[in-house]
Amino acid sequence: MHSNHLLLEEPIRMASILEPSKASFFPAMTKIVGTLGPRSRSVEVISGCLRAGMSVARFDISWGAPEYHQETLENLKVAVKTTKKLCAVMLDTVGPELQVVNRSEKSISLQLDSVVILTPDKGQEASSEVLPINFSGLSKAVKKGDTIFVGQYLFTGSETTSVWLEVDVVKGEDVVCVIKNTATLAGSLFTLHASQIRIELPTLSEKDKEVISTWGVKNKIDFLSLSYTRHAEDVREAREFLSKLGDLCQTQIFAKIENVEGLTHFDEILQEADGIILSRGNLGIDLPSEKVFLFQKAAVYKCNMAGKPAVVTRVVDSMTGNLRPTRAEATDVANAVLDGSDAILLGAETLRGLYPVQTISTVGKICAEAEKVYNHDVYFKKTVKYVGEPMTHMESIASSAVRAAIKVKASVIICFTSTGRAARLLAKYRPTMPVISVVIPRLKTNQLRWTFTGAFEARQSLVVRGLFPLLADPRHPAESTNSANESVLKVALDHGKASGFIKSHDRIVVCQKVGDASVVKIIELED
């Protein structure tokens, strides 16, 4: 859809609102990250999630044993083979997360204006009077009047399932708090968040390192979600740690911005990270409510201009227990797409929600509708202006290919790549059509064995808006003679035709390297 305005002329638009949504091979260009857990770990449910549009599976190691997550991952592998839908794996670290452990798992009722003590004494049972926490330094970090939130998984914002506390007095290592709302905490583990307070714990905890170097290495994780990233140095340290773990040197690091400290150092973090996750759960209580949208818009814009994926969290909380989102949540998903987000991350909604498959399907449909009215023309011009002149060779080729594809109304852009960088640059300019990233594996050796690269690069494009990977036959090098590329192109076109997103007489824009030259060509398909 090519228009000069965000929305079409009102009379046409009003009529089109009532038209049923048309089915498409690509349910949405915006990607969906689903967190797998108790309600979404069977082969059947995961297969449903993949068919509904999930392209990245997130494993949150702040709860559950590695063996539990391994079983879930094995089921994911079976589901991928069954559905023939590629899926990347994201490991989410614990980081400096403060937790309340409720060993008895009995519900805890907390009453408005009552007092509760937060204590590092883990020997105590969690109750309405005492909440044992995993950090002995809280009493040194907080003072009278500070705000603390406690809730299951993440503070939900609901006044009945999460509690808001105000520090009254510090007694030794105990923190005595006044309860500011009546709530019932249910479950075995709660997250504790001290608003705008620095917690002196490492960003990559010892537990994180242990799980990454065992579970992460074994499963060759595609993404590391670095919880509570506060400085660029956090990303550098994580990358150095991964670089020593064999295949994980290829793992991309997504910095999770969860507090004011991360927000303050956002620009430096963005330079170091491969992508950004806007963790609106914690950030939404570290910032005043009226400021959250400003951060989202500013952060997503910066990610877009840097050509790095922006992932937004906490969009349809109510679907954890309901089949439909609220009107505000549906609007929120659409606005995240219109802001330029690459992906939507679902946490509790798929982890322990009652309707994981329906939630993914609903979010995908909202994304698809928002994409129809996304102002590609304005975005393209803004990106070209931001990049400036002289452009690098790669930027010039990518922007020219997207401009050509829009002008000739191409149905897809096909890009040959070995590192994935060229395809990501195309996606940076937000073409109106999908980009098929044909990843050509490269043969490499460490002098002990020969291996093919390509699988990481293909899966890592599954978090980028509008990018859809295809792993090519390794016998066809990416930078080769024209005849070899022609045969790979034929495979890509045949795949597109078989899948239904390429038809006779469609125009296709192809980006490829022939020798040392980068070539953009337009082809028109015959019958």
Side-chain angles (χ1 to χ4, degrees):
M1 185 173 291
H2 314 287
S3 69
N4 295 322
H5 304 285
L6 184 64
L7 294 172
L8 294 176
E9 291 78 9
E10 192 173 317
I12 303 169
R13 187 61 197 153
M14 284 299 179
S16 70
I17 290 168
L18 303 177
E19 290 171 6
S21 301
K22 293 181 179 69
S24 150
F25 175 78
F26 298 105
M29 306 272 263
T30 307
K31 303 301 175 67
I32 297 175
V33 181
T35 306
L36 301 187
R39 292 276 184 172
S40 52
R41 65 191 304 257
S42 69
V43 173
E44 184 186 3
V45 174
I46 297 173
S47 298
C49 290
L50 291 171
R51 288 191 188 100
M54 178 180 79
S55 62
V56 180
R58 172 175 169 262
F59 292 81
D60 184 355
I61 60 168
S62 64
W63 63 275
E67 298 76 25
Y68 179 91
H69 291 303
Q70 190 63 44
E71 283 176 23
T72 308
L73 184 53
E74 295 306 323
N75 287 346
L76 171 65
K77 289 175 185 174
V78 174
V80 164
K81 282 182 182 171
T82 308
T83 60
K84 295 184 171 58
K85 301 277 188 187
L86 205 57
C87 187
V89 171
M90 177 182 281
L91 186 153
D92 201 310
T93 64
V94 182
E97 180 173 280
L98 305 188
Q99 297 173 336
V100 176
V101 178
N102 179 20
R103 289 198 303 273
S104 71
E105 296 196 25
K106 291 177 183 170
S107 294
I108 299 169
S109 294
L110 299 162
Q111 297 297 318
L112 173 67
D113 293 334
S114 296
V115 168
V116 67
I117 298 170
L118 304 176
T119 178
D121 181 0
K122 293 179 195 167
Q124 295 207 43
E125 282 287 335
S127 68
S128 303
E129 289 79 38
V130 178
L131 296 175
I133 62 173
N134 67 337
F135 179 52
S136 58
L138 186 66
S139 59
K140 296 184 183 73
V142 298
K143 62 185 184 305
K144 183 178 174 66
D146 282 345
T147 302
I148 294 172
F149 297 95
V150 181
Q152 189 188 30
Y153 191 63
L154 277 173
F155 179 76
T156 63
S158 163
E159 290 296 324
T160 56
T161 59
S162 302
V163 70
W164 165 27
L165 309 173
E166 189 176 284
V167 176
D168 184 40
V169 65
V170 175
K171 291 183 178 176
E173 290 193 327
D174 291 351
V175 178
V176 182
C177 300
V178 176
I179 299 165
K180 305 300 282 184
N181 67 295
T182 297
T184 302
L185 301 179
S188 59
L189 188 72
F190 314 118
T191 298
L192 182 148
H193 184 87
S195 183
Q196 298 199 21
I197 304 294
R198 177 173 172 82
I199 300 301
E200 295 295 337
L201 285 171
T203 301
L204 210 55
S205 69
E206 289 308 311
K207 180 188 174 182
D208 291 331
K209 289 179 179 178
E210 183 189 339
V211 176
I212 292 165
S213 56
T214 52
W215 193 90
V217 169
K218 176 183 176 181
N219 297 300
K220 298 182 180 178
I221 56 168
D222 301 296
F223 303 107
L224 182 73
S225 166
L226 193 60
S227 296
Y228 296 93
T229 304
R230 296 167 284 192
H231 297 269
E233 188 57 35
D234 295 340
V235 182
R236 284 191 284 269
E237 285 174 10
R239 203 175 301 283
E240 189 182 346
F241 178 70
L242 291 178
S243 70
K244 297 168 185 168
L245 298 174
D247 286 327
L248 295 200
C249 64
Q250 296 181 77
T251 298
Q252 289 190 348
I253 298 173
F254 274 50
K256 215 169 166 194
I257 308 299
E258 311 202 44
N259 53 27
V260 166
E261 200 171 354
L263 182 156
T264 308
H265 301 106
F266 184 85
D267 290 351
E268 306 96 88
I269 291 169
L270 178 60
Q271 278 189 315
E272 289 293 330
D274 297 300
I276 297 287
I277 297 174
L278 311 181
S279 184
R280 303 190 310 173
N282 282 340
L283 194 62
I285 51 179
D286 233 28
L287 283 174
S289 301
E290 66 273 18
K291 299 283 189 182
V292 178
F293 86 98
L294 278 175
F295 171 69
Q296 176 174 314
K297 287 182 181 296
V300 170
Y301 173 77
K302 285 172 184 277
C303 289
N304 288 169
M305 294 303 111
K308 293 186 178 182
V311 183
V312 171
T313 70
R314 305 303 298 274
V315 288
V316 285
D317 286 350
S318 72
M319 287 196 80
T320 304
N322 298 300
L323 203 45
R324 288 166 62 96
T326 65
R327 272 77 64 198
E329 287 172 337
T331 305
D332 189 27
V333 174
N335 279 327
V337 173
L338 296 175
D339 284 346
S341 304
D342 285 82
I344 302 292
L345 190 154
L346 301 172
E349 302 99 322
T350 53
L351 175 94
R352 56 183 171 85
L354 302 180
Y355 311 103
V357 177
Q358 293 93 327
T359 301
I360 291 167
S361 175
T362 299
V363 169
K365 286 175 185 171
I366 299 167
C367 290
E369 286 296 324
E371 286 158 11
K372 289 177 188 174
V373 295
Y374 183 72
N375 199 328
H376 293 273
D377 292 345
V378 167
Y379 179 88
F380 183 87
K381 288 169 186 166
K382 196 162 48 176
T383 311
V384 169
K385 185 178 177 184
Y386 181 88
V387 171
E389 293 178 0
M391 277 187 172
T392 63
H393 178 78
M394 291 279 281
E395 290 269 7
S396 175
I397 292 290
S399 59
S400 299
V402 172
R403 187 191 297 275
I406 291 170
K407 293 289 184 192
V408 303
K409 292 187 165 54
S411 56
V412 291
I413 300 173
I414 295 177
C415 174
F416 294 100
T417 179
S418 52
T419 63
R421 184 164 167 251
R424 285 196 299 275
L425 266 181
L426 286 166
K428 171 182 174 177
Y429 286 90
R430 291 284 189 264
T432 50
M433 66 294 295
V435 177
I436 309 298
S437 167
V438 183
V439 180
I440 317 274
R442 289 178 300 174
L443 193 60
K444 67 170 189 175
T445 181
N446 60 1
Q447 298 183 325
L448 293 174
R449 64 190 179 110
W450 288 89
T451 52
F452 279 111
T453 68
F456 268 102
E457 290 82 355
R459 290 192 302 266
Q460 284 168 345
S461 62
L462 290 167
V463 79
V464 181
R465 180 157 154 184
L467 208 51
F468 298 88
L470 190 64
L471 196 55
D473 188 322
R475 288 169 295 188
H476 297 302
E479 299 171 29
S480 68
T481 63
N482 204 33
S483 59
N485 262 333
E486 287 302 323
S487 62
V488 185
L489 177 58
K490 185 177 184 309
V491 172
L493 291 173
D494 288 345
H495 170 74
K497 288 172 187 171
S499 304
F501 60 88
I502 298 177
K503 308 181 298 298
S504 298
H505 305 297
D506 275 1
R507 287 173 178 171
I508 315 290
V509 169
V510 181
C511 274
Q512 62 187 118
K513 261 198 166 182
V514 179
D516 292 331
S518 297
V519 177
V520 175
K521 63 182 181 182
I522 301 164
I523 57 175
E524 190 161 338
L525 298 186
E526 297 170 356
D527 285 330

